[in-house]
Amino acid sequence: MKINKKAALHNLGCKVNAYETEAMQQILENAGYEIVPFTEYADVYVVNTCSVTNMADRKSRQMLHKAKKMNPDAIVVGAGCYVQTKEAEALLDDTVDIVIGNNKKHELLSMLEAYENDHGKCGNVIDINHEKQEYEEMFLERTAEHTRAFIKVQDGCNQFCSYCIIPYTRGRVRSRRPEDVEEEVKILAEEGYKEIVLTGIHLTSYGIDFKDEGIDFLTLIKRLHAIDGIERIRFGSLEPRVITETFAEELSKLPKICPHFHLSLQSGCDDTLKRMNRHYTCEECAERCAILRKYFENPAITTDVIVGFPGETDADFETTREFLEKVHFYEMHVFPYSRRAGTRADRMPDQVPEPVKKERSAVLLKLEKKMSGEYRESFLGTEQEILLEEPVTIDGEVCMTGYTKEYVKAAVRLDGRDPKMLKNTFVRGTLKEFLTEEIMLLS
Ligand code: F3S
């Protein structure tokens, strides 16, 4: 069914938000809308907003205003975390016609219909913090990425880290029924997807609401592992505490699990971790990394680090730097601490000046470059398999690139083959040399 209307969507924020943007896009497509890029003229614009920092709020507002500028007669929908926390502000904003909070995005179509019938501004934002929420079922039949599908399996967070607003934007932990995840993954596998990445707001909490039924994260993983066509399973961010001997041992028996683990460490200094309200010590984190290295051969362990958290002294930072070097992470996402009004960290004394944060970021990025290089080098001469994703021109020659299970990027020469035919296929070979700092040659 075609309805002769165009819709454009824009996502801000995390992978979970991106999943929901794609799900909203499919709701609109199935209703007959033609989806156009966000930079083009459309009848409906949907901005799935983020509120993780003050800056994210500002960007969300900017995108909403940009949409209205492109077509003043368009219906502009503000969805997600920014409008969840700033509902009143969004409702007062002339550029926003419909406000949809979290856990209500599946109602996009009925909200659009209601708006068109009454032509009055409308909002649907629930008190996500005080009402118990069920998991909001949204469904993907395909994704924008062609080889790797991100699957949302969990929502909400009960952790209340002192710098984070997300528990207030997303509410408490709720998990997606394993049979619903299975159904989605089966459809994606039939569509040809070979790799899935399980994501959530606090993935480690998966299943805490299914305890009575004996369903936990491992149960879900095993069920997805059994699906034909899926060859690789990765995870989004995990808390170090989830890596127990049993968990790692069980995972290591599942050949589709990629030995690529992203542990959200945030700091390598216990005092800072305490102020962040993270519930582990550096020592514990190091132990968990050792467990991973016991059960997987040379696994990729990656992490997130916040630098310049309130009260972080030069000595604290040095402790973090030493710790990161000792554990030896493959990749680190380094974030200078960014304030978010309404969080405890925002009210803490001893905020670190921006130039100091910048300096500390630069130190860690340099360390990351060194550690990444060393990790990649450890694969030189080894036999690996990569899943081919996209063509890239290196030194004037078009090659096809992909990733090993450890997420090391490698390329194969085309030798007259059509890149389109190679896409989403596996190739095996030996990692021979570096074509660029980050891409190795597989032949
Ligand atoms: Fe942003 Fe909401 Fe994700 S605040 S990071 S979009 S959970």
Side-chain angles (χ1 to χ4, degrees), residues 352-365:
V352 176
E354 291 305 319
V356 176
K357 289 182 201 168
K358 225 172 154 188
E359 248 170 59
R360 291 179 186 169
S361 296
V363 170
L364 291 195
L365 288 173

Side-chain angles (χ1 to χ4, degrees), residues 197-211:
V197 185
L198 306 186
T199 56
I201 295 297
H202 191 253
L203 192 56
T204 308
S205 293
Y206 181 87
I208 61 169
D209 39 351
F210 297 151
K211 257 195 194 131

Side-chain angles (χ1 to χ4, degrees), residues 11-17 48-53 56 80-82 102 105 155 165-166 169-170 201:
N11 184 67
L12 290 151
C14 57
K15 287 287 183 206
V16 169
N17 231 33
N48 200 13
T49 61
C50 173
S51 188
V52 76
T53 58
C81 294
Y82 159 69
N102 286 326
K105 293 175 186 173
D155 206 337
I165 199 73
I166 291 174
T169 68
R170 290 268 172 186
I201 295 297

Side-chain angles (χ1 to χ4, degrees), residues 317-421:
F317 174 69
E318 183 50 24
T319 306
T320 289
R321 196 200 61 74
E322 278 173 13
F323 179 79
L324 297 170
E325 191 168 22
K326 190 177 90 193
V327 174
H328 205 284
F329 289 97
Y330 165 34
E331 277 179 346
M332 300 194 297
H333 300 159
V334 180
F335 301 97
Y337 168 71
S338 187
R339 295 176 84 152
R340 174 56 169 89
T343 59
R344 265 190 292 147
D346 185 50
R347 298 188 293 273
M348 282 181 184
D350 306 319
Q351 296 284 332
V352 176
E354 291 305 319
V356 176
K357 289 182 201 168
K358 225 172 154 188
E359 248 170 59
R360 291 179 186 169
S361 296
V363 170
L364 291 195
L365 288 173
K366 197 170 159 207
L367 172 65
E368 194 235 17
K369 206 169 172 203
K370 178 175 163 276
M371 294 193 297
S372 291
E374 287 166 356
Y375 184 70
R376 287 191 192 99
E377 256 175 56
S378 70
F379 289 97
L380 264 179
T382 64
E383 200 187 309
Q384 299 293 334
E385 186 173 60
I386 61 174
L387 179 56
L388 294 173
E389 291 183 24
E390 56 174 7
V392 169
T393 306
I394 303 169
D395 290 335
E397 184 186 359
V398 180
C399 299
M400 199 67 186
T401 58
Y403 289 88
T404 68
K405 278 187 143 188
E406 292 82 3
Y407 212 67
V408 170
K409 197 168 187 175
V412 289
R413 298 211 155 99
L414 289 181
D415 297 327
R417 290 170 297 178
D418 180 356
K420 280 197 209 99
M421 300 302 288

Side-chain angles (χ1 to χ4, degrees), residues 100-115:
I100 308 180
N102 286 326
N103 245 43
K104 287 288 171 190
K105 293 175 186 173
H106 63 288
E107 291 178 19
L108 172 63
L109 219 48
S110 56
M111 298 276 302
L112 278 168
E113 276 164 19
Y115 179 86

Side-chain angles (χ1 to χ4, degrees), residues 52 136 236 242 250 259 265 293 368 401 418:
V52 76
E136 177 186 29
V242 78
E250 289 296 309
L265 175 66
R293 288 180 170 133
E368 194 235 17
T401 58
D418 180 356

